């Protein structure tokens, strides 16, 4: 198990005290400044802020998308005229292999949305509604969303410290 301790105190004295208390009961180690946690990468900026991204997770996870070509360099996750229609299930036959593959790739998209890439939340939500009856059209749509993620690795979240010194070191 992992534990992240955030400390604004001078010389990290609060986090040291927390570690000492925990070490009385469990064997733990201090891994230093946070750089990676659950597939999310953290970078400390020179101004004291943080940049958070999950592009390494996306790069690794794209290996699961191996049934169809992965479209890259897309401007939007899904075309605006894309729809799921009742006729998509005309003559539907459940393919267990396709079902398992679809569930796996939707899991990747859900994790990506949950950790950082909120820009594909709607598309992932729509696709996740069909976890028990996927069609080839839905699988290809999921590939398109993943292709968009792979093609937009620069999307990150930056948490900056306030510009005014009097606003720093406050709890909001």
């Amino acid at each position: 198990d992992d534990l992240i301790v955030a400390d604004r105190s001078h010389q990290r004295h609060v986090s040291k005290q927390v570690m000492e208390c925990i070490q009385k009961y469990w064997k733990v180690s201090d891994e230093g400044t946070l750089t990676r946690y659950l597939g999310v990468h953290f970078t400390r900026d020179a101004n004291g802020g943080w940049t958070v991204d999950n592009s390494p997770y996306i790069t690794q996870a794209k290996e699961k998308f191996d049934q169809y070509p992965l479209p890259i360099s897309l401007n939007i996750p899904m075309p605006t005229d894309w729809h799921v229609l009742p006729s998509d299930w005309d003559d539907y036959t459940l393919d267990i292999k396709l079902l398992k593959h679809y569930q796996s790739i939707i899991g990747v998209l859900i994790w990506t949305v949950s950790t950082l890439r909120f820009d594909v939340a709607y598309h992932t939500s729509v696709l996740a509604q069909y976890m028990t009856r996927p069609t080839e059209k839905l699988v290809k749509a999921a590939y398109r969303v993943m292709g968009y993620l792979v093609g937009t690795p620069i999307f990150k979240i930056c948490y900056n410290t306030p510009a005014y010194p009097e606003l720093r070191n406050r709890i909001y």
Side-chain angles (χ1 to χ4, degrees):
D1 290 337
D2 297 318
L3 174 69
I4 298 173
V5 178
D7 184 359
R8 292 192 215 181
S9 66
H10 184 66
Q11 301 296 328
R12 296 181 46 207
H13 73 274
V14 172
S15 59
K16 290 176 183 175
Q17 289 175 344
V18 169
M19 288 297 289
E20 288 172 7
C21 288
I22 293 172
Q23 287 173 335
K24 290 179 184 177
Y25 302 99
W26 295 284
K27 182 180 177 186
V28 295
S29 62
D30 184 347
E31 300 295 322
T33 302
L34 180 65
T35 57
R36 185 170 177 224
Y37 185 71
L38 299 175
V40 179
H41 286 244
F42 298 82
T43 306
R44 186 74 174 194
D45 299 333
N47 67 358
W50 289 91
T51 301
V52 185
D53 79 284
N54 60 2
S55 58
Y57 172 79
I58 293 168
T59 300
Q60 180 183 6
K62 78 177 182 182
E63 302 305 320
K64 288 187 175 190
F65 291 73
D66 60 359
Q67 303 286 323
Y68 300 97
L70 194 63
I72 309 288
S73 300
L74 304 169
N75 294 330
I76 57 174
M78 294 294 290
T80 55
D81 62 347
W82 187 88
H83 302 285
V84 178
L85 305 170
S87 61
D88 292 342
W89 283 273
D90 289 350
D91 302 320
Y92 179 79
T93 304
L94 179 63
D95 178 346
I96 298 298
K97 185 177 176 183
L98 182 74
L99 172 71
K100 297 296 180 190
H101 180 63
Y102 187 72
Q103 290 172 342
S104 176
I105 62 178
I106 294 301
V108 167
L109 295 178
I110 289 171
W111 178 252
T112 303
V113 167
S114 299
T115 56
L116 204 62
R117 290 301 299 268
F118 315 119
D119 53 329
V120 295
Y122 173 77
H123 310 92
T124 300
S125 173
V126 168
L127 294 171
Q129 295 176 40
Y130 304 97
M131 295 279 283
T132 60
R133 295 190 71 195
T135 63
E136 187 173 339
K137 177 181 175 180
L138 291 164
V139 173
K140 288 181 178 180
Y143 273 61
R144 180 180 169 103
V145 174
M146 186 60 171
Y148 168 79
L149 291 170
V150 170
T152 54
I154 61 168
F155 283 23
K156 302 174 182 184
I157 294 181
C158 298
Y159 298 98
N160 295 318
T161 55
Y164 301 101
E166 62 272 12
L167 297 176
R168 293 184 186 159
N169 296 322
R170 292 186 182 211
I171 298 173
Y172 299 99

